[in-house]
């Protein structure tokens, strides 16, 4: 399958699960993430504030902040670009591009100080290839921080045997599902 066909296939798979089932799967994935050695040791973590069809990170970002970690979240700044902003709590969020809740604080520019990135995706394969939503926001952004340790998170049904990858696609160091 090509990338477009894979996205359609994964969207169909997501519809087979109830919101309760996705929530239950999310909780198990987040539990693994919260005890991950790199997450536990990190001072600054790049996360995402999930959409309804992604591994739910809403409680996790608040838990990480409560643990004293600096959490930075992406905010879309244009058709092909995003930046990171500091997150301190739910009052920092407002609806942005594509109705994604985004932080409204000042841009976070100390990219080299990020210890680990938690990255969403439509799908991942066993080699760490990531299938995004097709706009390339994460690939362009993550290319700016090549040494950053990247953990993809997805539901088990989003793990594929293989995902077509282009030269500009950024691989994950590991995937948790």
């Amino acid at each position: 399958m090509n990338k477009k066909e894979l996205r359609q296939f994964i969207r169909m798979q997501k519809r087979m699960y109830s919101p309760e089932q996705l929530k239950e799967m999310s909780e198990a994935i987040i539990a693994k993430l919260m005890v991950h050695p790199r997450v536990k040791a990190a001072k600054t973590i790049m996360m995402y504030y999930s959409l309804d069809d992604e591994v739910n990170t809403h409680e996790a970002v608040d838990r990480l902040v409560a643990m004293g970690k600096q959490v930075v979240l992406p905010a879309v700044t244009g058709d092909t670009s995003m930046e990171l902003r500091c997150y301190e709590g739910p009052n920092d969020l407002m609806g942005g591009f594509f109705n994604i809740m985004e932080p409204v604080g000042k841009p976070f520019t100390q990219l080299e100080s990020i210890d680990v990135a938690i990255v969403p995706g439509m799908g991942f394969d066993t080699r760490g290839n990531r299938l995004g939503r097709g706009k390339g926001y994460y690939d362009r952004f993550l290319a700016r921080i090549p040494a950053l340790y990247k953990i993809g998170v997805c539901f088990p049904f989003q793990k594929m045997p293989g995902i077509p990858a282009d030269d500009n696609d950024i691989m994950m160091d590991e995937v948790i599902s």
Side-chain angles (χ1 to χ4, degrees):
M1 283 190 259
N2 65 33
K3 289 182 178 186
K4 184 178 179 181
E5 293 166 336
L6 269 173
R7 286 185 190 99
Q8 290 172 337
F9 174 76
I10 293 168
R11 281 187 193 102
M12 278 184 6
Q13 294 292 307
K14 286 180 182 180
R15 287 189 215 109
M16 296 172 64
Y17 295 89
S18 70
E20 294 78 24
Q21 289 171 310
L22 293 177
K23 183 178 188 282
E24 193 174 298
M25 283 188 271
S26 286
E27 289 169 356
I29 295 162
I30 294 299
K32 288 181 193 175
L33 193 61
M34 296 303 279
V35 297
H36 191 286
R38 287 193 182 256
V39 172
K40 287 173 68 173
K43 290 183 174 73
T44 303
I45 300 173
M46 176 182 165
M47 286 281 285
Y48 67 97
Y49 205 78
S50 56
L51 295 170
D52 289 343
D53 67 345
E54 295 175 324
V55 171
N56 189 313
T57 61
H58 298 188
E59 291 178 18
V61 293
D62 290 326
R63 283 174 52 199
L64 290 167
V65 168
M67 291 165 61
K69 306 209 181 270
Q70 180 170 35
V71 176
V72 293
L73 301 175
V76 173
T77 56
D79 280 344
T80 61
S81 60
M82 70 182 206
E83 67 185 15
L84 296 178
R85 296 183 186 153
C86 296
Y87 173 85
E88 294 176 16
N91 292 334
D92 287 354
L93 300 171
M94 68 182 272
F97 279 82
F98 313 111
N99 291 327
I100 298 171
M101 295 302 286
E102 297 178 340
V104 295
K106 62 183 178 188
F108 179 82
T109 57
Q110 300 163 308
L111 302 182
E112 67 286 341
S113 71
I114 301 170
D115 299 300
V116 64
I118 311 305
V119 183
M122 289 293 291
F124 296 90
D125 69 17
T126 55
R127 293 182 308 275
N129 290 310
R130 175 183 169 272
L131 176 69
R133 293 186 181 263
K135 291 274 195 173
Y137 288 105
Y138 276 91
D139 290 317
R140 272 187 291 282
F141 187 83
L142 292 171
R144 296 169 49 195
I145 324 168
L148 179 60
Y149 194 84
K150 298 163 287 299
I151 301 174
V153 291
C154 67
F155 297 115
F157 61 83
Q158 291 176 280
K159 254 193 149 171
M160 304 282 128
I163 288 180
D166 301 322
D167 290 343
N168 58 332
D169 291 333
I170 301 296
M171 292 181 72
M172 300 294 104
D173 295 294
E174 83 182 89
V175 177
I176 295 176
S177 65

